[in-house]
Amino acid sequence: MASRFKPISPFCGILVAAFAVALILGAMLAVALRAEAGRGIGPAEWAAIKFTVLQASLSAIASVILAIPVARALARRRFPGRRILIALLGAPFILPAIVAVFGLLEVFGRTGWVNSGLSLLGLPPLHIYGLHGVVVAHVFFNMPLATRLILQGWQQVPGERFRMAAQLGIDGMAMVRLIEIPMLVKVVPGTLAVVFAICMTSFAVALILGGGPRATTVELAIYQAFRFDFDLGRAAMLSAIQMALTIAAAGFALGLVRGDSFGTGLGRSLQRWDGAKPVSRILDGTWVALAAFFLLLPISAIMASGLPALTEMPHEVWRSAVVSIAVAVASAILLLGMALPMSLAIAAGRSGFLELAGLMGLAVSPLVIGTGLFIMIVQFANPLRLALPVTALVNALTVLPFALRILVPETREIIQGQGRLAMSLDMDGPAFLRLVHLPRIRAQIGFAAGLSMALSIGDLGVIALFADSETATLPLTMYRLMGAYRMESAAGAALLLLALSFGLFWIMDRGGRWHAEA
């Protein structure tokens, strides 16, 4: 009976979800069929698997260990700029990976700031390439994410517990033992697993900082087998291994994310009375300052190196910037074309298959999807001519799970709150979308589109499989400049990519919220 009061048919959403599932499963099937029967895993493949698991494990452990004291300091301190710092913790998520790696090289590379200072002191230089470089880069990306997740755990503890602890004089290690450790036991395992799953599919970081065959991930091995050797059988086998590792890591992450709560309270704002001693204040301030310094230093290095080079960048940088913007716009359009009907169908009560279809973009590596699509396309067309559309499509599939998480809650509230009234006024279908749904969900649409454009414009993955010199995006052009040791031009390209990524995100997010209350 409830379905009679739904002003939107779920048919379009189901059709879009079926298309997304068919595309991903078709790419996976193409990879599986291409794999050579009886071909075993050789020493090189085992080395890539071991390095992938090792770097993901070390990156997750280091990110979470460093995130705990930072999150604790943010949870119990109030200071000017706190909200800005918490917002800054979300910046690495949309920061292009190759830009962040370039910033780290400017700081820790052979001729970077740190090694220049060490040489003045007569000390041996630091080496950023290899396992430790990959881990440092992953910590830069994922420590802020881990901090946000653990900070949410502290904020979920009812304020009454801290009030009672203050009344009973509980502080120091007693506070840690009775309140904080039980919270961390529930939050940290899931955070570790999520960061581990993200690091498993890292591509740009390993491509630049891997440092040779001994530091090759499975994702990078797929690229090498495909791009340099054109060994589709080996690429297919590695893709199957990557799929198994990614799905296992994602399933492990979901299994460790515990849903039990920390108890109920009266909803009062969280106020902390512990940690009032000067030593605690100094420690918390130190952790917050180090985290801010760690996040801002590479970005500052990019700005310092890139500004002088902006006026003398080669023509291919500007051309690839236009290509990247076009791909980002196409990716955002494709994303909204999939996410909007799927979110409407999920909000109308068809959540099972549709939510599973939306999550497949996270379960399967983009490079695996790209490899499968190449194998499918090469049978009847030149894949190089379809490089940009395929890149935009794969980027849209990758961002689809995040877009659904953004759109579904507000869409469900609109249908539940306005659905009966709209049906009583004989307002359904396009009229409901135009007059009720789209005006009220503009802010979420802008945020989802901005996120899609920011992630797409900085992607260095699928485009690396397909692109030639005419269809190269800005991240790929920047990587080629770095490989040719044209570091000044690469610095200018990094700054331009940074500005485009954050600029497009801000424009779309701000545009969606402009007069959204009207």
Side-chain angles (χ1 to χ4, degrees):
M1 295 295 291
S3 60
R4 295 189 307 163
F5 300 102
K6 299 295 187 297
I8 296 294
S9 170
F11 176 75
C12 288
I14 295 173
L15 194 63
V16 170
F19 166 76
V21 171
L23 189 66
I24 295 174
L25 291 181
M28 294 168 60
L29 181 62
V31 168
L33 292 177
R34 190 72 187 199
E36 298 178 9
R39 182 168 184 168
I41 302 177
E45 287 79 19
W46 277 118
I49 294 173
K50 292 176 182 177
F51 181 80
T52 301
V53 175
L54 176 62
Q55 62 84 17
S57 302
L58 293 177
S59 300
I61 293 171
S63 298
V64 172
I65 288 177
L66 294 174
I68 289 175
V70 177
R72 186 174 188 247
L74 291 173
R76 65 179 185 174
R77 302 296 174 196
R78 298 294 183 270
F79 52 88
R82 179 178 178 273
R83 290 186 177 181
I84 297 177
L85 179 59
I86 293 176
L88 181 65
L89 293 174
F93 185 73
I94 62 174
L95 181 68
I98 191 171
V99 173
V101 172
F102 184 86
L104 291 172
L105 287 174
E106 288 291 291
V107 177
F108 300 104
R110 290 173 183 148
T111 59
W113 294 356
V114 172
N115 281 331
S116 297
L118 291 176
S119 64
L120 292 176
L121 298 175
L123 297 175
L126 295 176
H127 299 284
I128 190 67
Y129 296 97
L131 175 61
H132 51 285
V134 173
V135 172
V136 169
H138 283 160
V139 170
F140 174 81
F141 282 111
N142 295 296
M143 188 270 287
L145 172 64
T147 301
R148 292 288 294 268
L149 294 175
I150 297 173
L151 179 61
Q152 288 179 4
W154 254 293
Q155 292 173 338
Q156 288 174 5
V157 178
E160 288 75 16
R161 291 196 181 185
F162 293 107
R163 181 182 297 273
M164 181 174 293
Q167 293 173 344
L168 297 175
I170 297 176
D171 198 355
M173 290 306 299
M175 173 72 73
V176 173
R177 187 180 72 256
L178 296 175
I179 295 181
E180 294 183 328
I181 287 182
M183 182 277 298
L184 292 173
V185 167
K186 296 177 181 180
V187 174
V188 165
T191 304
L192 271 170
V194 168
V195 175
F196 177 83
I198 293 173
C199 295
M200 286 283 291
T201 57
S202 174
F203 174 68
V205 171
L207 179 65
I208 300 173
L209 298 178
R214 296 174 57 186
T216 298
T217 62
V218 175
E219 192 107 345
L220 182 55
I222 296 172
Y223 169 74
Q224 292 170 344
F226 187 93
R227 189 70 177 177
F228 299 123
D229 303 328
F230 202 69
D231 188 349
L232 295 181
R234 183 168 182 264
M237 182 188 65
L238 289 167
S239 297
I241 294 172
Q242 176 71 0
M243 282 189 292
L245 290 174
T246 305
I247 293 173
F252 187 62
L254 292 175
L256 285 181
V257 176
R258 302 179 58 176
D260 44 346
S261 66
F262 302 103
T264 58
L266 298 177
R268 296 172 177 170
S269 60
L270 185 61
Q271 184 176 355
R272 301 285 295 268
W273 291 269
D274 58 306
K277 297 179 180 179
V279 175
S280 299
R281 292 179 178 274
I282 292 174
L283 286 176
D284 287 348
T286 301
W287 280 110
V288 170
L290 288 175
F293 184 73
F294 182 59
L295 291 176
L296 292 175
L297 192 60
I299 297 177
S300 301
I302 293 169
M303 296 181 67
S305 301
L307 280 174
L310 275 179
T311 58
E312 300 179 358
M313 283 193 301
H315 173 69
E316 64 262 26
V317 172
W318 298 108
R319 182 181 60 195
S320 61
V322 174
V323 172
S324 290
I325 293 173
V327 171
V329 172
S331 178
I333 293 173
L334 290 171
L335 172 73
L336 294 178
M338 293 187 290
L340 283 172
M342 287 180 65
S343 63
L344 285 164
I346 292 172
R350 305 296 182 90
S351 59
F353 165 73
L354 294 171
E355 291 188 346
L356 179 61
L359 287 173
M360 288 190 68
L362 281 181
V364 183
S365 166
L367 212 59
V368 174
I369 301 176
T371 303
L373 291 178
F374 181 94
I375 294 172
M376 295 165 62
I377 293 171
V378 77
Q379 305 296 327
F380 58 87
N382 183 1
L384 297 180
R385 295 182 179 179
L386 299 174
L388 299 182
V390 169
T391 301
L393 178 59
V394 175
N395 288 339
L397 290 172
T398 304
V399 186
L400 182 60
F402 303 104
L404 290 177
R405 299 284 74 76
I406 295 168
L407 296 173
V408 167
E410 183 66 21
T411 300
R412 183 177 286 124
E413 183 176 334
I414 292 171
I415 290 181
Q416 291 177 353
Q418 309 294 329
R420 289 175 179 266
L421 178 60
M423 294 297 291
S424 67
L425 296 174
D426 199 22
M427 183 190 300
D428 58 2
F432 179 80
L433 289 176
R434 180 171 54 87
L435 298 175
V436 179
H437 179 250
L438 292 179
R440 293 194 59 184
I441 205 171
R442 282 173 54 189
Q444 287 76 18
I445 290 176
F447 181 59
L451 183 64
S452 172
M453 295 181 76
L455 294 178
S456 179
I457 203 169
D459 178 67
L460 179 62
V462 178
I463 192 65
L465 296 178
F466 291 87
D468 55 15
S469 59
E470 298 297 324
T471 58
T473 58
L474 187 53
L476 185 57
T477 298
M478 179 183 163
Y479 171 68
R480 290 171 176 172
L481 290 172
M482 294 171 64
Y485 296 100
R486 298 168 62 184
M487 301 306 292
E488 292 185 0
S489 298
L495 183 58
L496 178 61
L497 183 55
L498 177 67
L500 287 175
S501 178
F502 284 98
L504 289 174
F505 175 79
W506 183 85
I507 290 172
M508 298 304 299
D509 185 41
R510 179 63 179 171
R513 298 178 188 277
W514 187 257
H515 292 320
E517 71 277 0

